[in-house]
Amino acid sequence: WGAALIGRGLRVTGLDASPRLIAHAAQTLPDGEWVVGDIRSFDLDRTFDGVLVWYSLFHLAPGNQRRALRCLLPHTRPGGVLMMTIAT
């Protein structure tokens, strides 16, 4: 998704707990911003027009999914879009 969004002129910030995956993203998509962090406890101190959480939350237990949502929602600006996949 990052390449498609960047290709459309959007600014992309990616978050992952794996330094290796973040390094790969930075190497292959240098126009993005790539951050090592835990989806359950991060704070980027800003909001975004759109937050895309694809194939991430369903790896977490339901309690940790709720923790992640408490981090994601404040990063979505008022009127912004939060799009995600989730399972229980």
Side-chain angles (χ1 to χ4, degrees):
W1 289 103
L5 295 172
I6 290 169
R8 292 179 185 267
L10 299 172
R11 290 185 307 149
V12 171
T13 300
L15 175 87
D16 198 283
S18 168
R20 191 172 128 226
L21 289 177
I22 289 297
H24 177 73
Q27 182 179 15
T28 58
L29 298 168
D31 291 332
E33 175 188 10
W34 309 105
V35 179
V36 175
D38 187 330
I39 196 169
R40 299 166 296 177
S41 62
F42 73 99
D43 182 4
L44 299 178
D45 198 33
R46 62 184 183 269
T47 60
F48 299 89
D49 294 331
V51 176
L52 177 63
V53 188
W54 221 243
Y55 301 119
S56 300
L57 294 177
F58 64 80
H59 293 288
L60 302 175
N64 283 327
Q65 289 178 15
R66 286 188 289 279
R67 285 181 62 204
L69 284 171
R70 284 193 290 270
C71 287
L72 293 165
L73 291 172
H75 286 87
T76 308
R77 75 162 174 78
V81 175
L82 171 60
M83 190 164 104
M84 62 188 169
T85 55
I86 195 165
T88 57

